[in-house]
Amino acid sequence: MVDVTPVPAFSSNYIWVLHRAQTAVAVDPGDAAPLLDYLAGAGLVLDAVLITHHHADHVGGLPALQAKFPALTVCGPAGVAGVTHPLADGDRVELAPLGLSLDVLAVPGHTLDHLAYAGAGWLFCGDTLFAAGCGRLFEGTPAQMLASLTRLAALPDDTRIACAHEYTLDNLRFALAVEPDNPALHARLRRDQASRDAGLPTLPSTLAQERDTNPFLRVRVPSVQAAAARQTGEPATDDGLATFTTLRRWKDRFQAG
């Protein structure tokens, strides 16, 4: 059985560590120090790293990790410095020491090179899908991000969502601005606020929970479409892309405010 542990880094990042016996695989080690501390405390040896995209808070720890573990396998997008095993959509990562294989999914939007890793009931999705939210569009288009989210939303309901940031409470507050009458959102905010008050992560989420509470996965729900229409002053539309585009712009303003 593989254990999965979120290791906090920076102010909001998680480095996800998959481990079995004494072997570990890390996802998006933006900072080597907290990961090395965790590995030493747990008696683990790092065998491989999975990278979702090229942003510094996801790859910044690679030089120090490769210096400490010279044979380290680093899987990720081809253009990322330090990647030893370039991956593309449709590939499969075999993590033999963990007895685990993960499918590689191209999910452009946040960046053009973004990958996600899915398998064994887990989704390691970097900055594409967040708990109750999605990533900003730094390189991709709204159409690309919506297509990527739609692809992830097709995974099984019980898929555990291991995204790379603890943004859940802020995302839930925005989601409530979109759907103030959604009881699932109010219940989730209470639960997740209690987790944070106790110093615990809100993650992993599940895909079923995201379908019920994440506005970016609900762009074809009439209440979400109506909220988007109120932002634009235009009649409500069943165009999922138009709704998504409005929501993403609204969220950017919401964060800035």
Side-chain angles (χ1 to χ4, degrees):
M1 178 180 175
V2 176
D3 293 312
V4 180
T5 303
V7 175
F10 305 119
S11 62
S12 69
N13 285 65
Y14 287 125
I15 302 167
W16 291 91
V17 181
L18 296 73
H19 48 102
R20 182 179 184 183
Q22 281 74 53
T23 302
V25 173
V27 183
D28 284 350
D31 185 0
L35 175 58
L36 291 171
D37 287 347
Y38 175 77
L39 295 172
L44 298 169
V45 175
L46 190 64
D47 181 71
V49 165
L50 305 179
I51 298 295
T52 62
H53 65 292
H54 65 267
H55 284 165
D57 63 322
H58 295 253
V59 302
L62 282 179
L65 294 173
Q66 289 176 309
K68 184 170 181 62
F69 304 101
L72 186 66
T73 296
V74 181
C75 303
V80 174
V83 165
T84 62
H85 290 67
L87 299 172
D89 186 54
D91 287 342
R92 178 168 290 180
V93 178
E94 299 292 344
L95 303 174
L98 304 185
L100 184 65
S101 66
L102 299 173
D103 292 323
V104 179
L105 309 175
V107 285
H110 180 69
T111 65
L112 294 178
D113 66 347
H114 208 300
L115 302 176
Y117 302 90
W122 286 88
L123 174 66
F124 302 95
C125 50
D127 290 358
T128 298
L129 174 64
F130 290 136
C134 75
R136 288 176 178 260
L137 304 182
F138 287 113
E139 297 175 5
T141 66
Q144 285 176 313
M145 181 61 105
L146 180 57
S148 294
L149 293 173
T150 300
R151 185 178 192 188
L152 297 182
L155 293 169
D157 281 355
D158 60 354
T159 300
R160 286 162 286 186
I161 310 300
C163 55
H165 289 276
E166 182 59 74
Y167 290 161
T168 309
L169 296 183
D170 284 343
N171 288 343
L172 286 171
R173 293 183 186 107
F174 173 72
L176 279 165
V178 178
E179 287 190 284
D181 298 324
N182 183 339
L185 272 171
H186 290 277
R188 183 176 184 183
L189 181 58
R190 288 192 296 271
R191 290 194 305 271
D192 286 345
Q193 183 68 64
S195 293
R196 296 307 291 151
D197 289 346
L200 300 173
T202 62
L203 301 168
S205 175
T206 66
L207 197 50
Q209 183 169 238
E210 295 309 313
R211 290 200 192 97
D212 287 343
T213 56
N214 189 325
F216 296 101
L217 298 189
R218 294 171 60 79
V219 295
R220 292 177 177 82
V221 174
S223 58
V224 175
Q225 293 169 346
R230 287 193 292 272
Q231 288 292 308
T232 63
E234 299 291 334
T237 172
D238 61 1
D239 183 343
L241 179 56
T243 298
F244 174 83
T245 302
T246 298
L247 289 178
R248 187 59 261 179
R249 291 172 179 167
W250 181 9
K251 180 62 157 57
D252 291 343
R253 297 193 303 272
F254 192 89
Q255 286 178 314

